Amino acid sequence: MNQILSTAFDGLFLYLGLALAFMVLAAVLRSPRFKGWRGERAVQAAIRRQLDPLVYVDMHNVTLPTADGGSTQIDHLIFSPYGLFVLETKNYQGWIFGTEKQREWTQQIFRKRSRFQNPLRQNYKHIKTLQALLDIAPEHLHSVIAFVGDCEFKTEMPAHVTRGLGFVGHIQSFTQPVWSPEQMQALLDKLEELRLQPGRATDRRHVAHVRQLQAASKARKPRQEPVAETADQLVRPPAPEKVDVLLEPVMSAPPSAAVDRDLSAQVSPAQPAVAAPARLADAAAEAAEPVRHGRADAVPVCPQCEWPLRKLLMQRGPLAGQAIWRCTNAVACSFVRGDQVLARASETPE
């Protein structure tokens, strides 16, 4: 009996150990640091496969000192007779939103959104550091952003931003020599002298410097005080400014026309003129009331929350070709009715 229990416990501990190892491995594979490392390795392999090593000389993970006493780390540098290409690698998935002038870009995966620094701004610092250290003209430095993950740009992709192996074609599009082989070799030797020694100690110091910069940036941002909302705003949000009626737009009569009709029907010439102001006030109050279903000349309102309804034409499904009415307060109300059902309800007297 004891032997059976011992064997069972040994097997249980083995399975628990394997499960724990699998969980740790999954956490490492999902970490941003590992994804960045994998993206950089993919770009490095593509450079050595696609670009001629006799023309292009590549360097990777180059850490350079900056004027403020810190450091900046460049993913890839490619020296060529046509200029120096500075590559920043991004291994992202999902949808990417961003423009050249924005400070931060947005990544969206299903309903989860996260922001990251504009890589063009990030590479701009790399360009300026190389320009100061190597004394290179700005027109000979080329910024390239390489997205290698399974991502899709939902905004217009800025210049010098590529996907997949697009960076290879972008680099090969430069064909005008700007340096002689001797000048390019001198730049390579100078960069080797100026770069910080590769290793974990350099990486740790660089990470600490980046964290200091991030903390200083957060401290400079003004703090936004929360705005107190009234009870009416919390209970019911304001109505939209306009109603998007897709089929047969219906215009409601202006309040002045409603007032004129009520006055013409209710006030006769034989009545004294003193009663006219009172009837005028009653007619104006009636015209200011919210639109109900009985008013066929205006956009109907939702019977649940009194928001305006929007008329839509179904394109697919069993109701294809039929019109429905849906509440515009989609966040808090789910009222939906067919056009014919709503018409019969509006004809029913209240």
Side-chain angles (χ1 to χ4, degrees):
M1 185 65 181
N2 293 334
Q3 185 177 1
I4 295 176
L5 291 176
S6 176
T7 305
F9 277 113
D10 291 342
L12 179 61
F13 288 140
L14 176 62
Y15 286 126
L16 289 177
L18 292 176
L20 181 60
F22 178 78
M23 293 174 61
V24 172
L25 179 62
V28 171
L29 295 178
R30 292 180 179 179
S31 63
R33 188 171 183 177
F34 178 80
K35 291 181 179 179
W37 176 84
R38 186 174 58 182
E40 292 176 8
R41 289 299 178 270
V43 171
Q44 181 177 347
I47 290 173
R48 294 181 176 176
R49 285 197 313 265
Q50 303 291 333
L51 297 179
D52 186 358
L54 299 179
V55 180
Y56 301 93
V57 179
D58 56 301
M59 301 176 66
H60 309 279
N61 198 21
V62 179
T63 306
L64 299 175
T66 56
D68 58 357
S71 61
T72 184
Q73 195 172 73
I74 304 174
D75 293 340
H76 314 280
L77 285 175
I78 301 178
F79 284 86
S80 74
Y82 318 112
L84 176 56
F85 299 91
V86 186
L87 269 73
E88 177 66 25
T89 302
K90 295 297 179 184
N91 187 6
Y92 282 87
Q93 297 179 346
W95 292 347
I96 305 296
F97 302 85
T99 61
E100 183 178 358
K101 302 298 182 182
Q102 285 181 330
R103 184 180 182 87
E104 293 180 333
W105 287 7
T106 303
Q107 176 195 25
Q108 179 175 349
I109 302 178
F110 298 104
R111 295 187 177 182
K112 180 182 178 182
R113 289 191 177 187
S114 57
R115 294 182 179 273
F116 60 96
Q117 183 183 6
N118 184 344
L120 292 172
R121 297 170 63 97
Q122 183 179 358
N123 222 24
Y124 178 78
K125 182 178 181 179
H126 301 161
I127 294 289
K128 287 300 181 181
T129 302
L130 288 168
Q131 185 179 349
L133 293 177
L134 302 180
D135 192 19
I136 301 177
E139 60 269 17
H140 298 161
L141 288 165
H142 309 291
S143 175
V144 184
I145 310 299
F147 279 84
V148 297
D150 186 14
C151 62
E152 179 182 358
F153 274 81
K154 287 301 181 178
T155 54
E156 184 178 358
M157 196 157 49
H160 315 300
V161 178
T162 63
R163 287 182 54 199
L165 296 178
F167 70 92
V168 176
H170 179 75
I171 293 174
Q172 293 175 342
S173 65
F174 292 84
T175 58
Q176 182 65 33
V178 296
W179 295 323
S180 64
E182 293 77 12
Q183 291 175 327
M184 192 175 77
Q185 185 62 46
L187 291 174
L188 281 168
D189 296 339
K190 187 176 182 179
L191 184 63
E192 286 289 352
E193 294 177 0
L194 294 175
R195 69 179 296 185
L196 300 179
Q197 184 67 27
R200 293 184 178 180
T202 299
D203 293 341
R204 284 196 296 267
R205 286 193 295 268
H206 173 69
V207 171
H209 175 66
V210 171
R211 290 176 178 175
Q212 291 178 358
L213 294 178
Q214 291 176 349
S217 178
K218 291 181 180 179
R220 287 194 300 266
K221 291 183 179 179
R223 182 179 178 182
Q224 298 180 356
E225 296 295 336
V227 179
E229 296 182 345
T230 62
D232 295 339
Q233 293 175 336
L234 293 176
V235 173
R236 181 179 178 183
E241 297 180 358
K242 62 179 181 179
V243 179
D244 183 16
V245 181
L246 302 181
L247 298 176
E248 303 175 2
V250 182
M251 303 299 293
S252 24
S256 59
V259 172
D260 295 341
R261 290 198 303 269
D262 293 338
L263 286 178
S264 61
Q266 298 178 8
V267 180
S268 61
Q271 293 177 336
V274 181
R279 295 182 180 276
L280 178 61
D282 295 340
E286 181 182 353
E289 292 181 356
V291 180
R292 300 295 181 180
H293 292 300
R295 298 281 297 275
D297 59 339
V299 177
V301 298
C302 177
Q304 297 179 3
C305 63
E306 296 186 353
W307 277 52
L309 296 178
R310 181 173 60 182
K311 194 173 184 179
L312 304 173
L313 180 64
M314 301 299 293
Q315 300 292 336
R316 296 177 298 178
L319 299 180
Q322 300 183 20
I324 63 170
W325 290 89
R326 176 177 294 173
C327 181
T328 56
N329 186 14
V331 177
C333 183
S334 59
F335 177 81
V336 177
R337 287 293 184 274
D339 189 19
Q340 298 179 358
V341 175
L342 190 64
R344 289 197 299 268
S346 62
E347 295 175 359
T348 304
E350 296 182 358

